[in-house]
Amino acid sequence: MSIGILAVQGAFIEHAHCLEQLSQDYVLLRKKSDIPQNLERLILPGGESTVQRKLLHELDLFSILKNKILEDMPVLGTCVGLILLAEQIAEESTDGFQSLPVLVRRNAYGRQLGSFSTKGTVGEISDFPMRFIRAPYIEKILHPDVQILNLTDQHITAVNYKNQIGTAFHPELTDDLRIHKLFLSL
Amino acid sequence: MSEERYQLNKELAQMLKGGVIMDVTTPEQAKIAEAAGACAVMALERIPADIRAAGGVSRMSDPAMIQEIQKAVSIPVMAKCRIGHFAEAQILEAIQIDYIDESEVLSPADDVYHIDKTKFKVPFVCGAKDLGEALRRIAEGASMIRTKGEPGTGDIIQAVRHMRKIQSEISNLAARREDELFEAAKQLQVPVDLVRFVHANKKLPVVNFAAGGVATPADAALMMQLGAEGVFVGSGIFKSGNPEKRASAIVKAVTNYNQPDLLAKLSENLGEAMVGINEQEIALLMAERGK
């Protein structure tokens, strides 16, 4: 199976280590020519969304990846990944993929002193360790088919919509591989 | 600082990896840096080249100026305090800075003690010239390390020296027998637990960036190939002829540091680089501050 991890900036190696533990091969995507013809799955890691959004466009990765996502290629977006997938961003315009019908608020918990961790249920996964680093959350669901996977303090922090999983937290920063397994089962 | 808070602070540094942190002195510069793809900005009143030129005692920046920059951008904002000046650090924590750089670029406030960074909730980044220095700062609570380089010179030689030294010391340590680690800890003047971590994982327990003297996309690529996980650019951007273009080129060079054909394109027509001073020409070695 050909799994791509967007690697223009941020915590992509952490996702690669998760896939290694699950004995999955992967390719790091840093520019257009890195994208394999037969790309079957995509992971969008955490990092800084302004940087990743800009580099996606300027390194010519954007349109190929967007087309594949719209053709139902499974995609997992964590933190910035969720922001890149979101159809709308609160109080900002977006030139991300806009394939996931949700409204996301960036830096929703404030600055680094607002970063926190907790445990919660994510869909059918119970007791999952969730790490929120200057995290966003989902303020509004924009399509009835979007399934809410987690609510933390009344805020939506994980969703599944068709081929897409988006989380405001970072499963790649923990040893728990259950969300990566869920992604591989899409 | 609780173990949990320290973990979250190390994780913020992980999110900055593969990125460029740029020195800015005004909200306008901060916006230019953000638009060019900076993953964070360092807010300071004077960039290192000007601190060097002005001489005198250099201190923490005005909190009002830092807060203006915090309002101007959505990316993390860092700021510098003097080595050992924990009251400046307390002030920066009070204004919710995202990262404090306990920095040799400013005049040191204490020639013996660094700040006990375990007493703070906000994360700290510290400079290091070698493995012992890096692990001492980590033992004091730093959640990110950068090379010291020689700030404000545009000369990459010191950053290269520090990065090579740290990497080779890590390799040497990893190759040693387990029963030699106590002696290694003694030689490095650091806790044995940190030595054990480096021995087992062949890396520092926190993210390690390059800093000091980065002026071109090629400099950034050189540091990444030598093992840096990201790059700080101080005077190199806003002391150059075309800051927007240079900043954007350095960002892309950090992402594709192993692609000479792309680096060649990125290096074209960037205008004038910062003038630069060779290390032999400077009177003040900032890297020698705090060990």
Side-chain angles (χ1 to χ4, degrees), chain A residues 8 14 58 117 131 134, chain B residues 4 11 14 17 252 255:
Chain A
V8 292
E14 288 76 356
E58 294 185 3
S117 74
R131 310 199 62 80
R134 281 176 50 101
Chain B
E4 174 55 29
E11 288 168 355
Q14 282 175 267
K17 280 189 302 180
K252 287 190 204 115
T255 299

Side-chain angles (χ1 to χ4, degrees), chain B residues 179-238:
Chain B
D179 59 6
E180 294 172 1
L181 298 183
F182 298 101
E183 177 59 22
K186 200 167 82 185
Q187 283 169 7
L188 291 167
Q189 302 176 51
V190 299
V192 72
D193 291 354
L194 291 176
V195 171
R196 287 207 184 97
F197 180 95
V198 175
H199 181 256
N201 297 282
K202 299 186 174 64
K203 63 187 285 296
L204 290 178
V206 303
V207 166
N208 186 16
F209 269 47
V214 176
T216 66
D219 289 346
L222 174 68
M223 295 313 300
M224 292 298 286
Q225 291 189 40
L226 286 173
E229 293 177 282
V231 171
F232 283 83
V233 186
S235 320
I237 288 171
F238 290 101

